[in-house]
């Protein structure tokens, strides 16, 4: 009834002279409803395209990780590999920006008319990338995935609920919260459940003395786990910041280029401070593959996709959709051993985890 009342009131405002004429009223009502239905259909199609884009860039993210890992083996430094990847992505986006808007520059008035944080998306991406490098030897592969994911979901929902970084506001309901919990549960099942099941017997048979030592070690890892959650929150903030930058610049491609350029400059500073050794070697007897240089292009498309997603579906849902794509891409890489990765066939438990994530996305998207 509320929807019909709004339509009638709109007709009164748009057509005040004809409103009291019965036949004109019926005609205007039909035309107005038809227009609203067409707009609703277009928005649904637009949202579906956004979901497909989110899944695609999510699937591409683990591919980029595998490619950059191969690049790291050849150049001998994780920071060197990251710098090369960012530089390639920046060059790729520069070409796309010149094609799209014919310039790489922007009005200097943006520095005074816009908040400072719109320029920090690239630096947030570097912090997230560097954080994962530092977390991996401390927490292992499983927790290095789970802790940032928890931070991403938490920050995404908060950003949507309060409209931070000028993001589209979407109130956090109990159903959306349940959907986020299911997504997190799906990530845990997909990443960790299989390993936990295999190691269960060993954990049960540990001695009391070893348990005490392990508890002490676990308490010492608390700070690293918190840092993992914070790194994930920064990643969600990067998504929101870049989305707003795209609206300010009027071009998603231009915004992605600026973000990558800032990230590249940040990595240059890190490399100058740490002074890692650059060397190009062949880790195997075969020549280095050509595809190890394209990780930056995939990363550029990931940032570009996020800039497009946020204004359409909001930060929280954008983060969740990309996470589902990320898990699906990781499983495919494990199954088929793409990009020189070790084959690790998908288990039924992992497929169940992916299904749980999809249910969570549906709850967040539909409700």
């Amino acid at each position: 009834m509320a929807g019909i009342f709004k339509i009638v009131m709109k007709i009164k405002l748009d057509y005040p002279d004809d409103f009291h004429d019965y036949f004109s009223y019926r005609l205007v009502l039909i035309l107005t409803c038809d227009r609203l239905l067409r707009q609703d259909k277009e928005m649904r199609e637009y949202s579906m395209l956004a979901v497909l884009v989110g899944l695609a860039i999510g699937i591409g993210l683990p591919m980029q990780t595998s490619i950059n890992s191969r690049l790291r083996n050849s150049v001998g430094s994780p920071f060197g590999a990251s710098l090369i990847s960012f530089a390639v992505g920046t060059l790729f986006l520069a070409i796309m920006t010149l094609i799209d808007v014919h310039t790489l520059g922007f009005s200097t008035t943006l520095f005074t008319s816009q908040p400072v944080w719109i320029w920090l998306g690239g630096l947030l991406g570097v912090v997230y990338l560097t954080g994962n490098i530092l977390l991996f030897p401390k927490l292992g592969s499983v927790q290095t995935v789970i802790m940032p994911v928890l931070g991403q979901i938490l920050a995404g929902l908060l950003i949507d609920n309060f409209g931070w970084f000028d993001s589209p506001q979407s109130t956090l309901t109990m159903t959306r919260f349940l959907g986020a919990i299911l997504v997190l549960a799906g990530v845990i099942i997909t990443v960790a459940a299989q390993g936990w099941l295999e190691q269960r017997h060993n954990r049960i048979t540990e001695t009391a003395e070893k348990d005490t030592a392990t508890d002490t070690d676990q308490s010492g890892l608390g700070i690293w786990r918190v840092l993992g959650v914070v790194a994930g929150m920064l990643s969600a903030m990067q998504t929101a910041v870049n989305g707003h930058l795209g609206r300010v610049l009027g071009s998603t491609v231009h915004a992605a280029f600026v973000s990558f350029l800032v990230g590249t400059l940040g990595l240059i500073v890190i490399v100058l401070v740490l002074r890692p050794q650059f060397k190009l070697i062949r880790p195997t007897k075969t020549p280095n593959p050509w595809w190890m240089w394209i990780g930056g292009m995939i990363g550029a498309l990931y940032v570009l996709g996020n800039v497009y997603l946020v204004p359409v579906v909001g930060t929280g849902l954008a983060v969740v959709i990309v996470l589902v794509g990320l898990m699906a891409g990781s499983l495919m890489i494990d199954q088929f051993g793409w990009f020189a990765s070790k084959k690790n066939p998908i288990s039924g438990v992992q497929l169940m985890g992916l299904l749980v994530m999809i249910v969570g996305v549906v709850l967040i998207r539909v409700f």
Side-chain angles (χ1 to χ4, degrees):
M1 291 299 295
I4 297 176
F5 178 75
K6 290 181 180 179
I7 293 175
V8 173
M9 293 304 299
K10 180 175 178 57
I11 294 173
K12 288 188 68 175
L13 292 175
D14 293 345
Y15 306 95
D17 297 333
D18 297 331
F19 181 73
H20 295 291
D21 182 84
Y22 176 72
F23 295 103
S24 297
Y25 163 73
R26 291 190 62 185
L27 177 61
V28 171
L29 179 62
I30 292 172
L31 292 176
T32 302
C33 290
D34 180 67
R35 182 180 62 187
L36 292 175
L37 288 173
R38 287 200 309 269
Q39 290 176 348
D40 181 68
K41 181 180 178 181
E42 290 174 358
M43 286 302 299
R44 289 180 180 273
E45 292 176 350
Y46 199 46
S47 297
M48 181 56 64
L49 176 61
V51 171
L52 294 177
V53 169
L55 291 175
I57 63 176
I59 291 173
L61 197 58
M63 295 181 182
Q64 182 201 20
T65 301
S66 298
I67 291 171
N68 285 345
S69 296
R70 181 61 179 81
L71 179 62
R72 173 186 175 179
N73 293 336
S74 294
V75 301
S77 166
F79 292 103
S82 297
L83 178 58
I84 293 173
S85 180
F86 263 79
V88 170
T90 301
L91 180 61
F92 172 69
L93 287 171
I95 295 173
M96 292 185 63
T97 302
L98 288 174
I99 295 174
D100 182 39
V101 296
H102 310 297
T103 180
L104 299 179
F106 47 82
S107 175
T108 56
T109 59
L110 294 179
F111 288 109
T112 55
S113 62
Q114 295 294 325
V116 176
W117 50 257
I118 70 168
W119 312 107
L120 300 181
L123 292 180
L124 293 174
V126 171
V127 172
Y128 174 67
L129 177 65
T130 307
N132 280 341
I133 294 174
L134 297 175
L135 288 173
F136 185 82
K138 298 293 184 181
L139 299 180
S141 59
V142 172
Q143 294 190 56
T144 299
V145 172
I146 293 175
M147 295 303 158
V149 164
L150 175 59
Q152 287 174 330
I153 294 177
L154 176 62
L157 292 177
L158 289 175
I159 290 170
D160 274 0
N161 187 66
F162 296 105
W164 292 340
F165 306 111
D166 288 337
S167 296
Q169 192 168 0
S170 181
T171 304
L172 177 60
T173 63
M174 184 57 66
T175 305
R176 288 171 60 85
F177 181 74
L178 176 60
I181 295 297
L182 287 178
V183 172
L184 179 60
V187 172
I188 294 174
I189 293 172
T190 304
V191 175
Q194 188 68 25
W196 286 344
L197 290 174
E198 292 174 355
Q199 297 174 10
R200 186 171 182 269
H201 176 71
N202 293 332
R203 291 201 305 269
I204 292 175
T205 57
E206 287 179 344
T207 62
E209 182 179 352
K210 189 172 182 179
D211 283 340
T212 302
T214 301
D215 291 341
T216 303
D217 292 340
Q218 292 296 323
S219 63
L221 294 177
I223 295 178
W224 290 103
R225 291 184 178 124
V226 172
L227 291 177
V229 173
V230 172
M233 295 180 74
L234 293 178
S235 175
M237 292 178 187
Q238 178 199 19
T239 300
V241 168
N242 286 341
H244 179 69
L245 181 61
R247 293 193 296 272
V248 170
L249 295 178
S251 168
T252 56
V253 179
H254 201 176
F257 163 72
V258 172
S259 177
F260 248 73
L261 178 62
V262 173
T264 301
L265 295 176
L267 275 169
I268 290 175
V269 173
I270 293 175
V271 168
L272 290 176
V273 172
L274 299 179
R275 298 184 181 275
Q277 292 184 352
F278 284 91
K279 55 183 178 180
L280 186 60
I281 62 174
R282 293 183 179 181
T284 62
K285 295 181 180 180
T286 59
N288 289 318
W290 62 269
W291 47 258
M292 76 178 191
W293 305 104
I294 67 170
M297 296 175 62
I298 298 177
L301 292 174
Y302 170 76
V303 173
L304 180 60
N306 272 316
V307 175
Y308 163 77
L309 279 176
V310 171
V312 179
V313 300
T315 303
L317 184 57
V319 168
V320 169
I321 294 172
V322 171
L323 284 177
V324 174
L326 186 151
M327 291 294 109
S330 299
L331 292 179
M332 286 191 291
I333 290 175
D334 281 352
Q335 176 70 25
F336 300 108
W338 292 338
F339 305 111
S341 299
K342 181 181 177 181
K343 283 189 177 182
N344 190 13
I346 300 173
S347 67
V349 174
Q350 290 174 317
L351 289 177
M352 183 179 70
L354 188 60
L355 178 61
V356 171
M357 281 189 285
I358 293 174
V359 173
V361 171
V362 172
L363 287 178
I364 296 175
R365 181 68 189 93
V366 177
F367 301 99

